[in-house]
Amino acid sequence: MPDHDVVAVKTMSLSRNEFDKSLEAFQGTTGYTVIDAPEGQQVADLFAFALPDGQALISYEEIASATYGGLLKLPRAEVKIAFNGADQSNRALFLSAFDIAFQRGGG
């Protein structure tokens, strides 16, 4: 995403399948829908969303899993969110919606 303003890089503990399910829920609850990626960037792990005044781009890249105590192995990914255009308020709304859709329960 070299031509875009990357504003968030998140290391997330989720597989590609879990990412796809969360992305589907994100679209279903927010009204944001995937559009064609910018010219020359149509790759399987890049998702573009139309905003009122620009685009949001989300990329998914699998990274080394984390192992804890030799017993628990968690998948990990680096997820980047970038914007092409879009003012600060639309960026903040999109990031907030993303964080809510991808949050996990815990205890």
Side-chain angles (χ1 to χ4, degrees):
M1 288 191 267
D3 297 337
H4 307 286
D5 185 14
V6 176
V7 298
V9 178
K10 299 172 180 280
T11 300
M12 303 177 79
S13 180
L14 76 170
S15 67
R16 178 54 193 261
N17 188 44
E18 292 167 322
F19 175 81
D20 288 344
K21 287 179 182 178
S22 293
L23 193 64
E24 188 176 310
F26 171 70
Q27 292 178 83
T29 59
T30 64
Y32 292 114
T33 56
V34 174
I35 59 172
D36 287 337
E39 188 64 35
Q41 294 189 19
Q42 283 103 358
V43 294
D45 297 327
L46 180 67
F47 306 88
F49 296 84
L51 300 180
D53 56 350
Q55 288 182 330
L57 302 167
I58 298 175
S59 68
Y60 173 93
E61 182 179 347
E62 214 172 274
I63 59 175
S65 59
T67 303
Y68 299 96
L71 299 174
L72 179 63
K73 186 175 182 178
L74 297 174
R76 293 189 320 150
E78 183 175 85
V79 176
K80 294 180 184 174
I81 301 174
F83 294 94
N84 182 15
D87 66 24
Q88 284 302 115
S89 64
N90 284 322
R91 290 177 180 206
L93 287 171
F94 185 88
L95 289 170
S96 176
F98 177 89
D99 286 341
I100 291 169
F102 280 79
Q103 74 185 11
R104 306 277 203 191

